[in-house]
Amino acid sequence: MAQPTVADVHVSSALTQIAVAYYQSDDAYVADKIFPMVSVQHQTDQYFIWSKADFFRDEAQQRADAAESAGTGVNLSKASYSAKVWALHQDIGTQVRANADPSVDIDVASTRQLMQKLKIRRDRIFMSTYMVAGVWGSDAVGTSAGAGGQPGGLVPVLWDDDANSDPFTDIAFAQTTVLQNTGMMPNVLLLAWPVYQALKKHPLVIDRIKYTNPAFAGSINEALLAQAFDIDRVVVSKAVYNSAAEGIAASMAFVAGKNAWLGYVPPSAGLMVPASGYTFGWSSFTGLNGLGIRTAQIPMNWLGLGTLRNECEMAFDMKVVGSDLGFFWSAIVS
């Protein structure tokens, strides 16, 4: 006897309670979490730099009776920023919008996709500006123990070599280097995700905290690492991106590579405040906020009546303003 099949009794339709999309949380990105944001009114301007050498020179002399005191001075120079505008859009026609299922909120999905892409761009600019060799006062390159790596210098042993590396000695060396060169104690440690994972499981790290916390890597977080290394903050870059072109198999990688950075970051920007870096956000550019970000929906009727363009923009510049206030480790894990 003929019976209806499973396919006969149900017409497939889109589920309304779920849809799958890969969207990283804001916690993954670090470009807005390290250096103070300076809200600026113009795309390009200048800022003053007082001479560090003049401020630290010991020139006081013993003064004889009725004699002039020793004199001194200070040099003042200028540097400039130039905020660039980065933008991305997606056009959505009325046919697509009218035909979309309830679980496809096309405008929300479009805006979130655009913002994620711009956040990836901003973090990649951050890495190419700050997390590269030749930018900071000191560069260290991770090296295997067999190739001559030694803790406490510019050729440290790779931190995922549990038996031979010593991250505490390496970070202490960096702290001493920055302090000696600037008089400022570095207070922020930025780690790429693979570096963070190596430190969490490192036996020296576990041994350092085992008397106050369970001695296993799963209990170690950014706050405990900061406490162990005697710094104010540890920030971990978790952002990933696809370097392959559309239509090619995805090639995923961490934006921050396998690098680490230690430097001095002030609580906020200000006059005569030492800082390793600043981000200048062009806040007055057609109503952008203090972070230099805006989203807009623009009618594009010449592409078809009712077509709307979702567009996101960022306007900023990232500047190293105190290179001697930072210490950079490249490829510090294998």
Side-chain angles (χ1 to χ4, degrees):
M1 180 182 298
Q3 294 290 343
T5 66
V6 172
D8 292 332
V9 298
H10 174 70
V11 178
S12 295
S13 60
L15 294 177
T16 60
Q17 68 269 42
I18 64 166
V20 179
Y22 291 82
Y23 184 77
Q24 283 203 293
S25 71
D26 286 341
D27 179 61
Y29 304 97
V30 300
D32 59 342
K33 298 179 178 66
I34 305 297
F35 302 117
M37 175 68 70
V38 181
S39 179
V40 295
Q41 296 299 305
H42 301 99
Q43 186 174 28
T44 301
D45 257 326
Q46 296 183 324
Y47 54 92
F48 291 107
I49 302 173
W50 295 94
S51 167
K52 178 190 73 173
D54 291 341
F55 266 84
F56 280 90
R57 190 174 295 110
D58 179 7
E59 297 170 313
Q61 297 181 16
Q62 185 175 349
R63 180 178 186 174
D65 187 32
E68 290 188 354
S69 62
T72 188
V74 62
N75 288 289
L76 186 63
S77 60
K78 291 183 287 187
S80 63
Y81 72 86
S82 180
K84 297 177 178 62
V85 179
W86 300 87
L88 191 65
H89 75 263
Q90 183 177 18
D91 296 331
I92 302 172
T94 53
Q95 295 180 36
V96 170
R97 184 173 281 105
N99 199 47
D101 284 317
S103 57
V104 181
D105 192 331
I106 191 66
D107 288 315
V108 170
S110 171
T111 303
R112 294 190 69 177
Q113 180 198 29
L114 293 172
M115 283 303 304
Q116 171 150 301
K117 289 175 180 289
L118 281 180
K119 288 175 184 176
I120 290 172
R121 166 60 67 177
R122 187 173 63 173
D123 261 39
R124 293 190 66 205
I125 292 173
F126 179 96
M127 298 305 164
S128 65
T129 301
Y130 300 119
M131 297 287 278
V132 290
V135 169
W136 300 104
S138 299
D139 291 318
V141 181
T143 309
S144 67
Q150 293 288 334
L154 298 180
V155 284
V157 181
L158 296 164
W159 287 351
D160 53 349
D161 182 347
D162 293 346
N164 297 296
S165 65
D166 185 348
F168 287 101
T169 297
D170 293 332
I171 290 175
F173 173 78
Q175 289 173 316
T176 301
T177 299
V178 174
L179 179 62
Q180 179 176 318
N181 290 335
T182 67
M184 305 301 298
M185 180 63 74
N187 58 349
V188 176
L189 178 63
L190 172 59
L191 305 173
W193 177 258
V195 181
Y196 176 58
Q197 291 298 300
L199 290 179
K200 285 180 63 175
K201 72 174 185 59
H202 200 286
L204 294 180
V205 173
I206 293 175
D207 185 67
R208 182 70 63 95
I209 69 164
K210 69 182 180 182
Y211 297 107
T212 56
N213 291 276
F216 61 93
S219 68
I220 300 174
N221 56 23
E222 293 97 319
L224 284 176
L225 283 180
Q227 185 177 3
F229 290 124
D230 192 24
I231 54 179
D232 293 343
R233 286 194 295 145
V234 169
V235 181
V236 180
S237 170
K238 309 179 188 73
V240 298
Y241 81 106
N242 172 25
S243 62
E246 185 176 357
I248 306 298
S251 178
M252 305 295 291
F254 287 105
V255 171
K258 299 179 179 180
N259 305 321
W261 176 87
L262 177 72
Y264 175 74
V265 178
S268 60
L271 295 174
M272 298 186 73
V273 173
S276 47
Y278 281 137
T279 298
F280 297 89
W282 189 10
S283 59
S284 65
F285 174 57
T286 59
L288 270 67
N289 60 21
L291 294 175
I293 302 170
R294 77 168 176 183
T295 60
Q297 196 167 62
I298 306 167
M300 304 288 288
N301 289 329
W302 57 90
L303 298 179
L305 191 62
T307 298
L308 292 176
R309 169 169 292 179
N310 294 322
E311 185 172 87
C312 296
E313 266 184 318
M314 293 183 175
F316 60 86
D317 190 17
M318 298 179 182
K319 296 283 292 186
V320 175
V321 298
S323 61
D324 47 7
L325 289 165
F327 191 107
F328 177 65
W329 292 273
S330 62
I332 193 60
V333 297
S334 57

